[in-house]
Amino acid sequence: MKKYLYPGLLVVFGLLAVAIFVFKKPVAHMPTLKERHGDLAAGGEWLNTKAAIDGLLAKLRTNPDDHKSRLLLAQAYMQEARVTGDHPYYDGAAMELLEEVLQAEPENFEALCCKASLCLTQHHFAQGLGLAQQAQKLNPNSGFVYGLLTDANVEMGHYDEAIKMADKMNELRPDLAAYARVSYLREIYGDVPGAIQAMDMAAKAGYIGLEQTEWTRVALGHLYEISGDTAQARGHYLMALAARPAYSYALAGLGRMAAARRDYGAAIKYYQQARATVKDYAFADELTDLYRLNGQPDQANKMAEESISMLASAAKEADDNEQMGHYADRELAYAYLKTNELDKALAHAKIEYARRPDNIDVNETMAWVLYKRGQYAEAQKYMQVARRTGSKNPVLLGRAGLILTKLGRTAEGQALLESSLKTAPYLNPDVEAEGKKLLAAR
């Protein structure tokens, strides 16, 4: 009997093993949380973040079909990207999770909103607008979705529509995010005092110390900068640092305050501190100018090349992957101007312009690149579009003034240059240097 029993058992076990292999649902790849280091790892926030994400990962290991936990994990990774600046990793991880949710639940409103938000973060603005519109149809009474529609329409240059969406957001849910969008639109239309008022409301509506609140406080500080009030700006950066120690964007703000005093050594140190914590191209870009102003050309050139390398890597990823990768052509256009590669600067400016020809910032970029190439009449065509909302941004006014002066419209151009240099000359050393040279030649 036994000689027949053992072979029979082996056959049964073999069939069971095959069945398990064939029918077992594969465990989906689960992106993990990276360790924070330095100042970002200090305090209870990091401990709470780790505990929350570990809990979500545990739930998903137990139940891979728990799409609510998958969505919460995606949202947690999106916030971690904001905090650390590691957008390539965390935005990719979040998108992977969201795609799994949407594959199972194509009309999941929260997942569509999160995907739209990610697309906007990655500068896939047209795609983000389409997703936000899709989400709006599912839930037309969500304040959050109108925030996404505001942002997307701003980036596409649809400013009248953006105002309607911001008004709807504030009607449904007036809060930090809603007030901040009102502020941004007022700034675009040249109402800087109104923008300050709305951003102040936004900062007061948030919880002190949270990243979103201190980001808003830094934005308020920057509005004071472009109004020419550096004392108020510095005060808000210090408040943000007190509430959130070593906050990179507040450190960068103090760096600009040091640059305004011509203390370039101190400004460099602030930006180095900011870069040590958060990966943000803008810090490298501004360090390029600071090293040049501080008489360190080799360091400036090194930083400029590093900026281009960071941006080019992101742009290549975006070209290779329709879903993800940061479109960075506008930033690359400015970066190539700093290395005097004017053909490359124009090529990237044109790529961005083809994506969103109505956006005022994109038109400003085209105008400035053409100005640097000596094509002043062509530059003015784009600058007229860039100024159509009445923005009072001092860098924009300075660039407009330089173009007009080169075209022989001297009085008009010099008036804009004087306004720009009186308000915040340190915001763009290139504009400051050329503007002072032109005004001195009167």
Side-chain angles (χ1 to χ4, degrees):
M1 180 73 179
K2 286 183 181 178
K3 68 178 179 180
Y4 299 109
L5 178 61
Y6 292 129
L9 287 172
L10 288 173
V11 170
V12 171
F13 285 129
L15 290 171
L16 283 171
V18 170
I20 290 169
F21 178 80
V22 171
F23 296 109
K24 182 182 178 185
K25 187 174 181 178
V27 178
H29 165 68
M30 202 61 61
T32 56
L33 180 67
K34 289 185 177 182
E35 279 292 330
R36 291 189 196 175
H37 300 286
D39 292 315
L40 285 180
E45 181 188 271
W46 174 229
L47 295 176
N48 292 336
T49 297
K50 282 203 294 186
I53 289 177
D54 285 346
L56 291 169
L57 288 169
K59 285 183 178 181
L60 287 166
R61 282 191 291 268
T62 303
N63 179 12
D65 292 326
D66 182 355
H67 295 304
K68 179 63 177 176
S69 291
R70 184 169 276 106
L71 178 59
L72 289 171
L73 184 61
Q75 292 169 339
Y77 284 155
M78 289 167 68
Q79 180 59 25
E80 194 65 10
R82 281 179 59 98
V83 171
T84 65
D86 193 355
H87 286 279
Y89 177 77
Y90 284 115
D91 286 353
M95 185 65 83
E96 184 181 328
L97 292 162
L98 291 171
E99 289 293 356
E100 290 168 2
V101 174
L102 288 168
Q103 187 174 358
E105 302 171 6
E107 294 194 340
N108 186 306
F109 171 76
E110 288 185 81
L112 283 170
C113 285
C114 287
K115 185 175 178 181
S117 180
L118 273 178
C119 287
L120 296 178
T121 298
Q122 294 290 318
H123 290 191
H124 293 231
F125 299 122
Q127 187 180 358
L129 177 57
L131 286 163
Q133 289 169 335
Q134 187 180 344
Q136 180 196 18
K137 290 175 184 176
L138 294 172
N139 184 358
N141 296 311
S142 163
F144 183 75
V145 77
Y146 288 103
L148 295 173
L149 287 166
T150 302
D151 297 342
N153 278 296
V154 163
E155 297 297 348
M156 294 303 293
H158 308 157
Y159 301 109
D160 290 343
E161 186 66 16
I163 290 170
K164 293 176 187 175
M165 297 299 101
D167 285 345
K168 186 68 175 176
M169 184 184 190
N170 277 273
E171 176 188 321
L172 289 167
R173 187 177 177 179
D175 60 4
L176 180 153
Y179 299 142
R181 284 169 171 89
V182 169
S183 174
Y184 187 41
L185 283 163
R186 287 178 178 176
E187 180 190 354
I188 286 170
Y189 277 90
D191 181 8
V192 177
I196 288 172
Q197 179 191 40
M199 196 63 80
D200 184 56
M201 290 171 65
K204 288 174 179 174
Y207 290 99
I208 293 174
L210 287 184
E211 193 276 336
Q212 294 94 328
T213 306
E214 302 319 319
W215 181 92
T216 304
R217 204 180 312 281
V218 167
L220 177 58
H222 192 62
L223 284 170
Y224 276 113
E225 281 192 67
I226 66 172
S227 76
D229 192 340
T230 53
Q232 281 280 5
R234 184 172 184 274
H236 282 85
Y237 298 142
L238 290 171
M239 285 171 65
L241 275 176
R244 192 174 180 86
Y247 187 44
S248 290
Y249 298 101
L251 288 168
L254 290 176
R256 287 193 301 276
M257 296 299 90
R261 303 190 305 270
R262 304 291 191 259
D263 189 351
Y264 301 121
I268 287 168
K269 287 180 181 177
Y270 278 123
Y271 272 97
Q272 286 173 334
Q273 282 181 268
R275 276 190 93 220
T277 306
V278 170
K279 302 173 184 177
D280 191 318
Y281 144 78
F283 298 154
D285 177 66
E286 293 187 60
L287 270 170
T288 300
D289 291 331
L290 289 169
Y291 280 126
R292 285 197 176 125
L293 291 166
N294 203 44
Q296 297 174 264
D298 291 343
Q299 282 295 101
N301 292 335
K302 180 182 175 183
M303 196 57 60
E305 293 298 334
E306 188 174 327
S307 296
I308 289 171
S309 177
M310 289 169 67
L311 291 168
S313 174
K316 184 178 185 308
E317 185 184 354
D319 290 338
D320 293 344
N321 182 353
E322 217 172 274
Q323 289 280 10
M324 286 299 293
H326 184 87
Y327 282 145
D329 293 287
R330 179 168 171 261
E331 293 90 343
L332 274 167
Y334 285 122
Y336 279 121
L337 286 181
K338 291 186 179 182
T339 57
N340 204 35
E341 296 175 85
L342 302 186
D343 289 344
K344 289 182 179 179
L346 182 59
H348 284 284
K350 284 181 174 179
I351 291 170
E352 192 63 44
Y353 181 80
R355 290 193 190 109
R356 43 195 189 119
D358 297 325
N359 179 275
I360 59 173
D361 296 325
V362 174
N363 277 275
E364 180 185 358
T365 304
M366 281 291 297
W368 190 239
V369 171
L370 289 165
Y371 170 84
K372 286 295 187 178
R373 293 170 62 87
Q375 297 170 252
Y376 305 127
E378 191 70 11
Q380 176 59 10
K381 293 177 185 177
Y382 291 98
M383 185 53 77
Q384 283 179 309
V385 180
R387 295 187 63 204
R388 78 179 193 271
T389 61
S391 170
K392 299 293 193 299
N393 184 287
V395 176
L396 172 68
L397 296 183
R399 286 171 172 162
L402 287 168
I403 292 169
L404 288 170
T405 304
K406 291 290 186 181
L407 289 172
R409 294 165 61 176
T410 309
E412 189 179 355
Q414 288 181 348
L416 289 173
L417 282 171
E418 286 173 344
S419 174
S420 172
L421 296 179
K422 180 182 177 182
T423 305
Y426 60 91
L427 285 176
N428 191 294
D430 203 10
V431 171
E432 180 185 14
E434 292 195 47
K436 284 184 175 178
K437 184 177 178 182
L438 276 177
L439 291 175
R442 286 184 294 184

